[in-house]
Amino acid sequence: FRFKDSLAEDLRGADLVISHAGAGSCLEALEEGKPLIVVTNEKLMNNHQLELAKQLHRDGYVLCCNCSTLVETLQSMDLSTLKPFPPGQPEKFALFLDEVVGFQ
């Protein structure tokens, strides 16, 4: 589909997520605990999505490929090698902000 208000229900029901490498899309799938294949678009300039995808792959959280290698990735994937993504810790950021602003 081209646009949908929320993917939360689709993510909860998914066994595998295949996504572009946008930070929001990656984090939403990983936080839902779903195995994720990130498909990079190598034609983007200043490709921060490629940087994110490669780092998540190096850290063992996602499989990474491009459009031309997606079928090969699906055929050879071993989802058991993926590590669970650690939960966020927003309280640490809040404490940091409090410290920087001088609320402590």
Side-chain angles (χ1 to χ4, degrees), residues 13-101:
D15 293 321
L16 172 68
V17 176
I18 300 172
S19 175
H20 75 127
S25 299
C26 290
L27 293 176
E28 193 172 1
L30 290 170
E31 287 172 352
E32 195 62 43
K34 300 300 177 172
L36 176 61
I37 297 176
V38 178
V39 181
T40 61
N41 180 352
E42 296 169 337
K43 296 178 182 175
L44 293 176
M45 294 182 66
N46 300 321
N47 198 345
H48 64 280
Q49 288 188 6
L50 181 59
E51 293 173 25
L52 174 63
K54 284 185 176 183
Q55 187 61 54
L56 288 172
H57 179 71
R58 277 192 295 269
D59 292 343
Y61 301 123
V62 305
L63 299 176
C64 185
C65 65
N66 57 44
C67 289
S68 64
T69 60
L70 176 58
V71 171
E72 178 185 329
T73 300
L74 288 166
Q75 291 171 336
S76 66
M77 68 183 181
D78 180 0
L79 299 178
S80 70
T81 64
L82 297 177
K83 298 190 305 190
F85 193 71
Q89 297 177 319
E91 63 279 355
K92 286 187 176 182
F93 182 68
L95 289 171
F96 170 76
L97 270 183
D98 287 349
E99 187 176 310
V100 168
V101 177

